[in-house]
Amino acid sequence: MTAGKASEGGLSYSNLLQELLLALLGHAGDVFVDKATNRGVFNLSDPDAPSFQLSDDISSVARPDRELLNDLVKLGFHYRALDVFVEKEGVPSPSSVGGGMYRRALAAGVSELLAVYKAAILQIQQHLMTEATPVIPAIRHFLIDFEALLPHLHRLVHHVERDGINGSQLLGLLHSSSRCGLPTLQSCLQRLLWHCNQVLYKQLSGWIVHGLLLDRSREFFIHEVSDPNGALLGDQDGEGELDEWHKGFEVQLTALPPYISLTTAESVKFIGQAVRLLRQPSGNFQGQELMPYRDTLAFAEALRKLQEQPVFNRVALERVVEAVRTKVASHLWHLVVVKAELPSHLQALKDYFLMAKGEFYHNFLVEGSRVMNLPPREATAEADINVPFQQSALKSTAQHDKFFQLIRLQWRKDDIQVVLGPKRFLQVPRYDEYWDNMYLSYKVGWPLGLIITPAVLARYNGMFQYLLRLKRVQLGLEEAWQSMCSRNWRGDTRSGGVSSSRLPLWQLRQHMAHFITNLQIYIQVDVIESNYAQLQQRIADAQDFMEAERAHNRYLSTLIFQSFLSTVSISRLLQQVFRACHSLCTMVRLDDGSPTCDAADWRKVERLGREFNASVGSFYSLLQSDRLQEQSKAPSLRRFFLRLNFNDYVARTSLESYRQEIASAGGEGSARGKG
């Protein structure tokens, strides 16, 4: 097209080009018109329906040139839509829906691109002023890259606006879109992603360096959980900080960018929580500097270097996060293990919850036998049982133990439910209906509540109730033996002998004592002592809070598993054994030794013996299962087998009980057949 042909319609060629430049900057007029109507100020147009075109009134432009101009002026249409998006996101208001820091970062990136585009238009104008006969193909040459960029970005922001995409979804969209085969478009999208990642890095820096959530729109993948609460089984100092640690924050999977792994996100969550805790010490540590300032500067510098990189480096971020996590975990380990004396408190938990102080609990059960032989009075039960509990401390090494002051014996009417997992609860064998629900509370100081949590104390209490009931069974059998030895059993065949009518009772008590004693030795020595020694070594070698926490949780889980409390069938069998022992002790207590007394009638003793042997036989059979026999899970189980069945008596009794059950079942079946 020449200048002469353009002027025939009253419009000079140079004026046409000036109108074209204005249209390319989104300003339609009488020459290049906007066919769209009823568009709001901040409404984005459909990217696939361009409305800018050369007016039909301009008849002097030939059809090929008209088509070329219409193709070129579409850039002005896309530019105006992108400019509307930038203006809209740059003026946030409380009533705006779907806005956020990531959308504003995207708008900043688009604005940066539009500035380059406007610079190209200015360059075209300068070119038009210097060239004697400018042509449209030359103009198109200046804008060749933008013919691919602006339509694609228009579709992108239209998609973002239409579907309300924000936060991690926006990061994911840009991340996936940047993987294209067009270098210019790829570079542009990577730059937009860089702008959005600046927000991500600022949020990471605020959380990792200062423990602050810079996230009013809840776009960051670390979310604060509102109203954290939970029933505590024990007194804890600094409950607010500890609640925040355990329940105050969570990784929101829907807000997690696709190029950040869940493991890295969990590490980021841990770092921020640890920094918050170390910057706000409580209890005896108030006023102390637990987080060195030089480490804070180092964390900020490492993140700043990542932030400056033109392309997001996932591996580099993971390395930095792991390095920071290791450093913070080391500070937290030193606080909890060294300064707060965690090993001493774990020893106290072992002494009292796991009954390692045997002389103290022996005195307590002896002193408290009168109270525990009677039904508890609900109003005063706890005070009644605490009297012998405190008196026993005066007669044992607990008197001079400073950690005993943190312990209190409590009683509740209902059972304590200890959760092990989804629909899995701790199965503690019951002994009697009166005092089985005794438990201990422990005053946990800050920051020990990070590891000694209410859930952990609940597990310790499950073990405590189990061991206390086992100890009561053992002492009951010992008292029965003393009673049987001290009584003048009538009908003795010789001095010091036992009458034939009482001999089955003596033998049954001996079998019960053999089983209960070996079970107690297995749990206290083979399970608790050996695993506690490993726990001490692991915590000392860890130098890392998370490793120490994992070691302690593994220790508790191992105790529960190797003590059979996680196996319902074995727990029920042990409950039957405990009840059988309780029944025998009741027989001995009621039997005065006279020929007319039927408290220990041989039929009752024989029936009780069959029930006990059947339970022990089933217990012995279940212990031979592959699940329990695995060496890594129960390394001391074979020694327990050997002590329990050293003369093959238990195995023979188990086989006889099984044969009797088969014979009994066969007899009942034949009787029903005859009927």
Side-chain angles (χ1 to χ4, degrees):
M1 181 174 63
T2 65
K5 289 184 180 179
S7 62
E8 291 176 2
L11 179 67
S12 67
Y13 184 63
S14 60
N15 289 339
L16 176 66
L17 294 181
Q18 292 300 322
E19 289 288 340
L20 174 62
L21 294 182
L22 288 174
L24 288 174
L25 290 176
H27 302 291
D30 295 331
V31 178
F32 291 93
V33 297
D34 183 5
K35 293 293 186 178
T37 57
N38 300 327
R39 180 183 294 124
V41 178
F42 286 129
N43 290 337
L44 291 185
S45 53
D46 186 354
D48 296 322
S51 58
F52 278 25
Q53 66 180 44
L54 184 63
S55 173
D56 295 334
D57 296 335
I58 308 299
S59 59
S60 58
V61 179
R63 182 176 179 182
D65 293 327
R66 178 179 291 274
E67 292 177 356
L68 185 61
L69 288 171
N70 285 336
D71 286 340
L72 194 57
V73 82
K74 290 178 182 178
L75 293 179
F77 167 77
H78 297 305
Y79 170 86
R80 190 177 68 174
L82 293 172
D83 191 53
V84 168
F85 174 78
V86 170
E87 187 177 357
K88 178 180 179 182
E89 294 299 332
V91 188
S93 63
S95 60
S96 61
V97 179
M101 291 192 293
Y102 287 91
R103 288 267 283 271
R104 288 197 289 274
L106 175 63
V110 172
S111 178
E112 183 181 84
L113 174 68
L114 295 184
V116 176
Y117 174 77
K118 285 188 286 187
I121 298 297
L122 180 61
Q123 187 178 7
I124 292 173
Q125 189 174 27
Q126 293 173 346
H127 176 75
L128 294 179
M129 294 173 61
T130 58
E131 289 293 328
T133 56
V135 292
I136 295 176
I139 298 176
R140 190 169 190 177
H141 172 73
F142 282 97
L143 302 176
I144 188 66
D145 289 337
F146 295 100
E147 289 186 353
L149 294 179
L150 295 191
H152 188 92
L153 294 186
H154 187 180
R155 293 187 185 92
L156 178 70
V157 299
H158 185 265
H159 178 38
V160 169
E161 180 75 17
R162 182 193 61 204
D163 297 342
I165 295 176
N166 207 348
S168 64
Q169 290 182 325
L170 180 55
L171 293 175
L173 177 62
L174 292 173
H175 179 68
S176 60
S177 299
S178 64
R179 298 180 177 182
C180 63
L182 191 60
T184 305
L185 181 59
Q186 183 182 37
S187 176
C188 175
L189 291 172
Q190 286 178 347
R191 184 63 182 175
L192 294 179
L193 181 60
W194 180 88
H195 276 278
C196 292
N197 280 333
Q198 297 307 295
V199 177
L200 177 63
Y201 276 120
K202 287 179 182 178
Q203 291 176 328
L204 283 172
S205 181
W207 178 249
I208 290 177
V209 178
H210 305 288
L212 300 176
L213 272 182
L214 306 178
D215 185 28
R216 293 183 178 180
S217 302
R218 294 179 68 84
E219 299 170 302
F220 192 41
F221 58 83
I222 304 297
H223 281 195
E224 187 172 9
V225 180
S226 59
D227 191 25
N229 53 40
L232 300 181
L233 192 60
D235 301 323
Q236 301 196 0
D237 293 337
E239 288 185 5
E241 292 85 351
L242 297 179
D243 274 346
E244 181 184 88
W245 173 270
H246 296 295
K247 305 175 184 178
F249 299 94
E250 65 180 4
V251 174
Q252 185 63 253
L253 295 180
T254 57
L256 189 63
Y259 42 83
I260 294 181
S261 66
L262 180 58
T263 302
T264 302
E266 290 289 351
S267 296
V268 170
K269 170 176 167 287
F270 168 79
I271 293 169
Q273 288 181 289
V275 169
R276 290 172 69 91
L277 186 134
L278 292 170
R279 285 181 172 275
Q280 301 173 0
S282 184
N284 298 328
F285 298 93
Q286 285 185 346
Q288 297 187 24
E289 184 182 354
L290 303 177
M291 187 70 188
Y293 184 65
R294 65 179 182 276
D295 288 340
T296 301
L297 292 179
F299 300 163
E301 179 64 17
L303 287 172
R304 186 189 63 79
K305 290 181 179 179
L306 289 178
Q307 190 173 356
E308 291 176 350
Q309 294 182 2
V311 179
F312 183 87
N313 191 328
R314 174 176 178 173
V315 175
L317 175 65
E318 291 177 351
R319 288 176 180 171
V320 169
V321 168
E322 179 57 26
V324 175
R325 189 208 65 80
T326 301
K327 194 69 176 179
V328 171
S330 177
H331 289 314
L332 204 55
W333 176 89
H334 189 265
L335 170 65
V336 174
V337 176
V338 179
K339 291 187 175 182
E341 301 179 345
L342 175 65
S344 299
H345 286 271
L346 294 180
Q347 179 64 49
L349 292 176
K350 174 172 166 285
D351 288 342
Y352 297 105
F353 282 81
L354 303 182
M355 296 180 59
K357 281 190 177 294
E359 85 287 358
F360 165 74
Y361 279 105
H362 181 84
N363 289 331
F364 165 63
L365 291 177
V366 172
E367 293 285 340
S369 59
R370 293 183 180 178
V371 177
M372 287 185 281
N373 285 335
L374 300 173
R377 294 174 294 181
E378 190 170 340
T380 62
E382 191 168 303
D384 294 341
I385 199 62
N386 264 287
V387 172
F389 190 76
Q390 297 295 329
Q391 290 176 346
S392 301
L394 301 176
K395 299 179 181 180
S396 66
T397 56
Q399 180 181 6
H400 305 291
D401 186 2
K402 65 177 182 179
F403 294 102
F404 181 74
Q405 307 303 320
L406 305 176
I407 298 286
R408 177 171 176 78
L409 182 65
Q410 295 183 288
W411 178 88
R412 56 191 292 173
K413 187 176 181 180
D414 53 333
D415 293 338
I416 298 175
Q417 290 286 347
V418 182
V419 180
L420 297 179
K423 298 182 180 180
R424 292 180 59 242
F425 299 93
L426 199 68
Q427 303 293 328
V428 183
R430 298 194 64 84
Y431 176 64
D432 68 19
E433 57 181 336
Y434 296 145
W435 295 96
D436 270 0
N437 291 336
M438 289 184 292
Y439 67 98
L440 296 175
S441 64
Y442 190 77
K443 188 174 179 61
V444 181
W446 190 94
L448 293 170
L450 300 177
I451 287 183
I452 307 175
T453 65
V456 164
L457 284 178
R459 291 191 173 198
Y460 270 109
N461 264 306
M463 288 293 299
F464 167 72
Q465 290 182 334
Y466 179 39
L467 294 170
L468 185 65
R469 295 169 193 179
L470 183 59
K471 187 69 175 177
R472 290 181 66 190
V473 173
Q474 184 195 29
L475 288 181
L477 292 174
E478 290 180 0
E479 291 174 359
W481 178 77
Q482 292 174 356
S483 298
M484 295 166 74
C485 290
S486 62
R487 282 189 188 138
N488 179 24
W489 296 91
R490 298 174 186 177
D492 290 353
T493 56
R494 63 181 189 278
S495 178
V498 180
S499 66
S500 58
S501 61
R502 301 305 194 279
L503 186 59
L505 188 64
W506 279 77
Q507 292 175 338
L508 180 57
R509 193 217 68 85
Q510 178 61 31
H511 295 329
M512 289 179 172
H514 170 72
F515 178 83
I516 294 298
T517 301
N518 281 288
L519 178 60
Q520 190 176 40
I521 292 173
Y522 164 72
I523 295 176
Q524 291 288 167
V525 178
D526 295 338
V527 175
I528 295 177
E529 291 295 337
S530 62
N531 282 290
Y532 182 72
Q534 296 178 20
L535 173 66
Q536 287 179 304
Q537 189 63 43
R538 286 170 180 163
I539 290 180
D541 294 342
Q543 301 293 315
D544 185 304
F545 172 81
M546 296 180 73
E547 288 294 329
E549 184 182 34
R550 278 193 290 265
H552 183 249
N553 290 337
R554 193 183 309 121
Y555 161 73
L556 271 182
S557 298
T558 302
L559 293 188
I560 290 171
F561 176 80
Q562 294 184 2
S563 299
F564 318 121
L565 294 184
S566 59
T567 308
V568 178
S569 55
I570 293 182
S571 181
R572 289 174 179 170
L573 290 173
L574 289 176
Q575 179 168 301
Q576 294 173 11
V577 170
F578 288 4
R579 293 289 174 84
C581 295
H582 189 271
S583 298
L584 182 134
C585 294
T586 303
M587 286 182 180
V588 173
R589 187 171 63 252
L590 297 178
D591 185 16
D592 58 6
S594 63
T596 58
C597 181
D598 64 345
D601 181 72
W602 67 272
R603 297 180 187 84
K604 296 180 181 179
V605 174
E606 183 180 13
R607 183 169 59 253
L608 183 62
R610 285 198 304 268
E611 294 173 357
F612 173 77
N613 289 332
S615 299
V616 171
S618 299
F619 175 81
Y620 181 79
S621 300
L622 285 175
L623 290 189
Q624 300 180 71
S625 66
D626 294 338
R627 177 171 174 265
L628 293 176
Q629 283 286 347
E630 188 177 339
Q631 188 70 13
S632 60
K633 293 183 177 179
S636 304
L637 198 56
R638 296 186 184 278
R639 289 197 294 271
F640 178 44
F641 270 179
L642 181 61
R643 288 194 295 263
L644 193 64
N645 191 39
F646 71 97
N647 60 355
D648 207 33
Y649 173 78
V650 174
R652 291 199 311 271
T653 305
S654 174
L655 183 60
E656 290 175 5
S657 298
Y658 177 73
R659 288 174 176 172
Q660 290 176 1
E661 289 180 6
I662 295 297
S664 175
E668 292 179 359
S670 61
R672 284 196 297 268
K674 291 179 180 179

